Amino acid sequence: MEIASPEATSDTLESPFSPKKRPVSLYSLISNSKDAGVKCQFCLECFDLLDIFNHANGLSTFAAVNVTNEGGGKGDKPVFRKWASLGRTYTVKDNTNPQYHEKDFEISEVIQDAGMIIIQIFALHPANSMPVCIGTTVVPIKELLHSDTVVKKLRVGSTEKGTVVIFMKHRKENKYQHMEDIVEYCSVSEVIPDEPPEQTEEEKLLKNTFFKDILGNIDRQRYHFKLRPHLQCSLRVCEEMFEVSTSFNVPALFIRLLCEREHANLLVLKDMVQGFSEEVSTITAVSRNSKISQYREELSELGQCSKHSFKKSEWKGMRECKWAPVNLHAQVLEVTATQHDTHQIPSSESRHQYCLMAVGALSAHWDKFKNGGLLSLLGQNKDGEKFTKRKDLYKALQKVEALLGKTREINDESKFVEMVCSLKGLSNEDMVSSSLEELQRTLDSEKQLEIMTLSASIEKLPSNGELCSLSSPRIATLCEEYCLHVQRAIIWSIAQLELDNREHFLSLLSRYEACFSQLLSAVISSFIVHLCFRSHDPVFEQQLSDLLVPIMWESLLSTHGDETGMLEDMVFVMQHISDITAQVEGSDESTQVHVSRVTGSPFNVTVVVSVPVELLGTLPEPVRAGGLISFTSLFFTHGINEQQTIAYKISETGLQDKVCEQFLSDLQRYIEEHVATNPDAYTNRGDSDLETSLEKLHSLYKLTKKAKCSDFIVLAEQIGRDIGCMRFTSCKSAKDRTSMSLTYEYCAILCQDHGFLNEDVPPVLEQFRRDGTRYHNTFKNIGSYKYCFNKLQCKMLPTIYKPPPGTFGDGALQT
């Protein structure tokens, strides 16, 4: 693949870091060359740059450098070259004479002395931080070899604007060691020599039509891994990163659900004024109205944030968008293997897709972590007891309201027996009976007598098929009146529960609801992504048939400092993942997959996903019939940063140990109950033996009690893939540690499923981290192409999670 030379297009040359145009990898330039080359190192500074924005604070700029090993053209003939990225500098703010001395550019691979480098200076727009090229220059490699300082004019079109100075720090002649001939990389934005395989019409329809409103702003990179003797095949890898519109859509619908629930409670309480003191009624009504106003205000604020397509890491402390998950992205790795015969002629082709999700900590960053997270705040204390009681009351309320709906629909006398049995059973439940008693104590004598008479009438109704002297309409009326009474009692109990130390308890409740909303959004987003990419996966089809989908959630948070609070928030809300269900319904009117509504109660939420009828017809029968799909969590955590190093030093790993012990227990139980009972669905899911893998995972867990053990993370990920889990990886912002983990998991997939050897991993891993979608994710979040690690932090990371030189910052960047 070739792109126009800088001489021909310098006035319109886009940023090489734009998601739509990136330079080809250096590997593709040199993979077949064994000629002599040069190794040199240099840095840059500029002066008299053109201030195109005329901003009061001046320019904020960075420099990008690309290299080619091809020489110039002859005469007026346009030149086309392959350019490779050497990287970019940090951003220098408010300066038209920036110095980038702390960033060294190194040409460490073979480059012909007839080659050249192109230097581009980009200014960040003050309003949106988007880079704009304000100057370009081309420098022949020969000039770098024969001078310690090279001065060049920057050009915009045909106009000279500013100057760049190149300072040589090191150079020497070097024979190229032919190591990286495994990798060849091509930019997606242009015609590539090795076209991706043709998709079937059904696949094109699914990906490009049904899901285009859900999955957007695609960043895509393609790699070609050449034929190796031990592989007997070549691999084409397409790495994709999607934003998911449900990041903000689902939280907005959840807030509406909470608001509607509060409004319904308020109407019931207003209807109960008779029989209560005016003071009690007023306090209760004010409490409900206050919550409704709060929800409406937060819904409005979230609406302003939802103009963006995802929540940037730098927004995680903003209350306005606290309901949305941080930096939620879908990562899809597509691997196409072409088998070759003995004459290296392609004979067959197979394609595999792997769906991974990345998201920041499901946590209350806006509320800080001075007193820990939800696990401490709503643990074994009075607030925790109130929270548990509130949840039980809402679950009982949902049962009552379901029965209330049935009493108004029943017209078959045989159904009355079932209704009466349900009512008597409900009234005997501890939560309902205590609510009835609590309400009765607050009523005047006249109301108490009325309720006692109603309860006695219900008890007299036959529940075993006996004849009843009452008419069916009268029975229906009694059942409805009793349901309304129980409903009032439960809502009254909920209201009184919240009045005790109201401000404090409601702040904790708000923290939980926002963290749960982040979980809800992430889970439903992942479910929709898997509908898109795994609808024909036999394991996923089996899970849909069982109406139970497992989620393996990997946390890289530490157990020291603020991240302990973040982890506590995550652990607590993950315990309530069973409160989430999804339902798929067909739609004749829409050609797009979308979330149509969120129903239920604050502690039993059903998200309805509308899909075109053509797509619904491809799903298993239980899903087509409207079955509720549940989710089960397999959550583990293992810190890898410098804070976890401190945690090990001072023995602060108790929470991590507890979470991992629960994870191993849950994983064992899920495999026994669902995987072992469906062996046919899990054939050809990799060569690993699950029983052996579980034994090894238990052994590795023992090592994690004493020190960081990256093998534990890698093996857990592999087991998650083998049993068909929806896979999440998260850290504080899902930007740096998460990127290191995801890119290594890509390599683990290539080794486990596609024949890569261990010695193949280092250059490929570096390629993913330098040119892949996760590197672009850093710019999307903070406006800088840097992983937010400093040298000390990098030193503390396990080896497989260390970023390549030149790709991380100096510690001053936001993490």
Side-chain angles (χ1 to χ4, degrees):
M1 180 199 66
E2 298 175 331
I3 63 176
S5 70
E7 292 98 320
T9 62
S10 61
D11 57 337
T12 59
L13 194 61
E14 296 182 29
S15 164
F17 304 100
S18 163
K20 294 185 178 180
K21 180 172 287 188
R22 289 197 187 174
V24 296
S25 162
L26 198 56
Y27 294 130
S28 66
L29 306 180
I30 63 174
S31 58
N32 295 317
S33 174
K34 297 183 181 181
D35 298 331
V38 296
K39 178 179 284 189
C40 61
Q41 190 178 63
F42 59 91
C43 64
L44 308 172
E45 73 174 48
C46 300
F47 53 90
D48 296 336
L49 294 180
L50 175 64
D51 188 357
I52 61 172
F53 301 125
N54 295 316
H55 193 248
N57 294 329
L59 282 177
S60 294
T61 62
F62 65 87
V65 181
N66 297 303
V67 64
T68 182
N69 61 353
E70 301 177 23
K74 296 181 180 180
D76 296 328
K77 184 178 179 180
V79 181
F80 293 89
R81 300 189 186 88
K82 300 174 183 178
W83 292 90
S85 173
L86 287 184
R88 52 153 288 180
T89 67
Y90 45 86
T91 299
V92 175
K93 294 184 177 180
D94 310 333
N95 199 332
T96 55
N97 301 301
Q99 297 180 349
Y100 310 107
H101 292 176
E102 295 180 17
K103 165 63 180 176
D104 293 337
F105 294 95
E106 185 177 271
I107 302 177
S108 56
E109 285 86 1
V110 60
I111 295 293
Q112 307 284 343
D113 60 6
M116 55 186 63
I117 63 170
I118 178 174
I119 300 171
Q120 295 170 280
I121 308 299
F122 292 90
L124 299 179
H125 194 285
N128 55 26
S129 296
M130 291 303 295
V132 178
C133 183
I134 62 171
T136 302
T137 190
V138 176
V139 184
I141 296 293
K142 285 183 179 180
E143 288 192 37
L144 298 180
L145 297 179
H146 297 96
S147 178
D148 291 334
T149 304
V150 178
V151 180
K152 288 286 184 180
K153 288 291 185 180
L154 294 167
R155 304 179 69 87
V156 180
S158 59
T159 307
E160 293 183 356
K161 295 291 183 182
T163 304
V164 62
V165 182
I166 306 166
F167 296 97
M168 296 301 301
K169 289 189 173 183
H170 173 78
R171 62 176 178 270
K172 69 175 182 178
E173 295 291 326
N174 185 41
K175 288 288 183 180
Y176 172 61
Q177 299 297 315
H178 193 65
M179 295 172 60
E180 291 102 345
D181 60 336
I182 182 174
V183 181
E184 179 177 339
Y185 164 83
C186 291
S187 167
V188 69
S189 62
E190 301 166 2
V191 179
I192 59 175
D194 223 358
E195 285 291 345
E198 278 294 319
Q199 295 176 311
T200 66
E201 289 303 315
E202 183 178 21
E203 288 169 329
K204 288 180 181 177
L205 190 64
L206 284 175
K207 289 187 181 180
N208 299 332
T209 305
F210 293 161
F211 293 89
K212 68 180 182 181
D213 284 354
I214 289 281
L215 306 176
N217 290 340
I218 303 174
D219 188 36
R220 183 183 293 117
Q221 301 299 320
R222 290 199 180 106
Y223 311 82
H224 179 210
F225 301 95
K226 295 183 175 180
L227 180 68
R228 276 292 187 87
H230 71 274
L231 292 177
Q232 285 301 308
C233 73
S234 61
L235 299 178
R236 290 193 301 272
V237 174
C238 181
E239 176 198 4
E240 297 175 316
M241 179 174 68
F242 301 87
E243 294 170 12
V244 191
S245 64
T246 42
S247 286
F248 288 99
N249 180 23
V250 170
L253 292 173
F254 179 59
I255 298 174
R256 287 195 183 99
L257 172 68
L258 297 176
C259 191
E260 289 168 2
R261 179 70 263 178
E262 287 299 328
H263 187 259
N265 289 357
L266 178 61
L267 293 178
V268 171
L269 291 169
K270 283 183 175 180
D271 189 47
M272 295 168 60
V273 170
Q274 185 179 359
F276 293 97
S277 69
E278 184 178 348
E279 180 182 3
V280 171
S281 301
T282 302
I283 292 174
T284 303
V286 168
S287 173
R288 297 299 100 189
N289 278 318
S290 175
K291 289 195 69 178
I292 292 170
S293 298
Q294 178 186 341
Y295 286 136
R296 287 174 176 169
E297 181 181 349
E298 292 182 343
L299 182 60
S300 176
E301 291 174 344
L302 184 66
Q304 295 298 315
C305 297
S306 63
K307 294 176 182 178
H308 304 275
S309 49
F310 78 105
K311 179 179 171 181
K312 294 183 179 182
S313 65
E314 57 189 13
W315 298 344
K316 58 181 175 283
M318 292 172 54
R319 288 183 176 273
E320 292 84 350
C321 51
K322 67 180 184 180
W323 299 83
V326 177
N327 195 17
L328 176 65
H329 282 82
Q331 302 283 152
V332 177
L333 191 72
E334 182 178 276
V335 182
T336 303
T338 304
Q339 296 292 330
H340 298 260
D341 61 19
T342 55
H343 302 289
Q344 297 191 6
I345 297 175
S347 58
S348 63
E349 194 169 77
S350 61
R351 183 149 46 106
H352 304 267
Q353 286 181 325
Y354 304 85
C355 298
L356 306 171
M357 301 294 293
V359 69
L362 310 175
S363 185
H365 300 278
W366 63 93
D367 266 349
K368 311 299 182 186
F369 307 96
K370 183 179 179 180
N371 298 313
L374 288 169
L375 209 57
S376 296
L377 298 170
L378 291 175
Q380 301 299 319
N381 52 35
K382 185 178 179 181
D383 290 324
E385 292 173 1
K386 287 170 63 177
F387 178 85
T388 302
K389 183 178 179 180
R390 187 177 189 272
K391 180 173 181 175
D392 292 341
L393 284 168
Y394 264 112
K395 287 188 175 294
L397 178 62
Q398 199 164 13
K399 291 181 183 178
V400 172
E401 291 179 339
L403 288 174
L404 181 60
K406 289 180 180 179
T407 62
R408 295 165 176 169
E409 297 173 358
I410 292 178
N411 49 23
D412 183 352
E413 292 188 12
S414 62
K415 296 291 184 181
F416 282 117
V417 173
E418 181 183 340
M419 172 63 65
V420 171
C421 288
S422 298
L423 283 177
K424 289 183 177 181
L426 186 66
S427 61
N428 291 327
E429 289 186 9
D430 291 340
M431 195 56 61
V432 174
S433 59
S434 63
S435 295
L436 290 170
E437 291 171 7
E438 183 180 340
L439 176 62
Q440 198 150 336
R441 285 196 299 268
T442 62
L443 297 173
D444 56 31
S445 56
E446 183 181 345
K447 278 283 184 181
Q448 288 182 8
L449 179 61
E450 180 182 327
I451 297 304
M452 290 172 63
T453 303
L454 176 61
S455 298
S457 298
I458 292 294
E459 285 298 322
K460 291 178 181 179
L461 290 176
S463 56
N464 54 4
E466 299 173 2
L467 293 176
C468 180
S469 60
L470 298 178
S471 64
S472 295
R474 178 56 183 157
I475 295 176
T477 300
L478 282 174
C479 289
E480 181 177 354
E481 289 178 357
Y482 188 73
C483 283
L484 287 171
H485 173 57
V486 175
Q487 180 194 41
R488 295 186 187 110
I490 294 175
I491 291 176
W492 174 256
S493 295
I494 292 172
Q496 299 309 301
L497 186 69
E498 294 174 1
L499 286 178
D500 181 22
N501 198 6
R502 179 175 177 274
E503 292 300 326
H504 172 68
F505 182 69
L506 290 186
S507 69
L508 296 181
L509 192 60
S510 176
R511 183 183 185 120
Y512 166 77
E513 289 173 343
C515 292
F516 180 80
S517 172
Q518 296 173 27
L519 173 66
L520 178 67
S521 176
V523 168
I524 296 304
S525 297
S526 179
F527 175 67
I528 292 174
V529 168
H530 281 67
L531 277 182
C532 176
F533 291 98
R534 289 184 61 199
S535 58
H536 296 292
D537 180 344
V539 172
F540 189 57
E541 288 181 345
Q542 182 63 54
Q543 292 166 353
L544 292 179
S545 296
D546 295 340
L547 299 178
L548 181 66
V549 178
I551 301 177
M552 181 174 284
W553 206 297
E554 166 190 332
S555 159
L556 301 172
L557 293 169
S558 69
T559 51
H560 178 72
D562 283 352
E563 290 196 2
T564 304
M566 298 176 202
L567 182 57
E568 286 191 354
D569 281 347
M570 285 193 72
V571 172
F572 190 85
V573 296
M574 210 64 70
Q575 293 171 354
H576 298 268
I577 199 171
S578 58
D579 295 341
I580 299 173
T581 54
Q583 187 178 36
V584 182
E585 67 175 13
S587 172
D588 293 320
E589 300 176 357
S590 175
T591 60
Q592 290 294 301
V593 173
H594 65 281
V595 174
S596 58
R597 61 191 183 277
V598 173
T599 64
S601 75
F603 296 100
N604 191 3
V605 182
T606 298
V607 179
V608 181
V609 180
S610 293
V611 304
V613 290
E614 302 96 313
L615 177 58
L616 183 66
T618 67
L619 301 178
E621 195 279 331
V623 178
R624 297 197 303 271
L628 297 181
I629 302 164
S630 300
F631 302 91
T632 185
S633 171
L634 303 172
F635 177 77
F636 73 92
T637 185
H638 189 61
I640 62 173
N641 67 355
E642 76 287 350
Q643 294 295 311
Q644 191 62 31
T645 303
I646 297 173
Y648 277 112
K649 292 288 185 182
I650 61 177
S651 301
E652 278 190 350
T653 61
L655 179 57
Q656 177 174 287
D657 296 341
K658 183 179 179 180
V659 169
C660 288
E661 287 172 2
Q662 186 63 49
F663 162 70
L664 292 172
S665 174
D666 292 343
L667 180 61
Q668 182 79 45
R669 183 170 58 255
Y670 179 82
I671 289 175
E672 290 174 355
E673 294 178 0
H674 299 280
V675 179
T677 56
N678 294 290
D680 293 340
Y682 291 88
T683 56
N684 301 320
R685 297 293 294 182
D687 298 328
S688 61
D689 174 43
L690 279 178
E691 186 174 346
T692 303
S693 296
L694 281 174
E695 291 175 0
K696 185 177 180 181
L697 192 65
H698 278 270
S699 299
L700 291 173
Y701 163 64
K702 295 177 182 177
L703 300 180
T704 67
K705 291 186 173 184
K706 300 177 180 179
K708 297 173 188 176
C709 180
S710 52
D711 288 346
F712 176 80
I713 300 174
V714 174
L715 183 56
E717 292 170 347
Q718 176 187 314
I719 294 173
R721 294 192 302 271
D722 286 344
I723 63 176
C725 289
M726 296 199 308
R727 277 271 300 113
F728 276 91
T729 300
S730 65
C731 58
K732 182 178 179 180
S733 300
K735 176 170 52 65
D736 307 304
R737 282 168 283 176
T738 294
S739 294
M740 298 302 104
S741 179
L742 285 172
T743 48
Y744 190 81
E745 186 168 2
Y746 291 166
C747 292
I749 288 170
L750 294 174
C751 289
Q752 180 189 1
D753 295 349
H754 302 286
F756 266 44
L757 301 178
N758 289 337
E759 56 263 33
D760 297 333
V761 170
V764 176
L765 181 60
E766 181 170 339
Q767 192 73 13
F768 283 139
R769 290 174 178 172
R770 284 191 184 276
D771 292 309
T773 61
R774 295 307 303 176
Y775 197 45
H776 179 59
N777 185 265
T778 63
F779 186 83
K780 291 178 69 173
N781 277 277
I782 62 173
S784 176
Y785 280 94
K786 289 290 182 183
Y787 298 115
C788 293
F789 303 113
N790 58 32
K791 290 182 179 179
L792 176 62
Q793 290 171 324
C794 287
K795 186 177 180 180
M796 297 294 182
L797 290 170
T799 302
I800 63 173
Y801 298 127
K802 295 182 186 292
T807 63
F808 54 91
D810 59 2
L813 297 171
Q814 179 184 347
T815 59

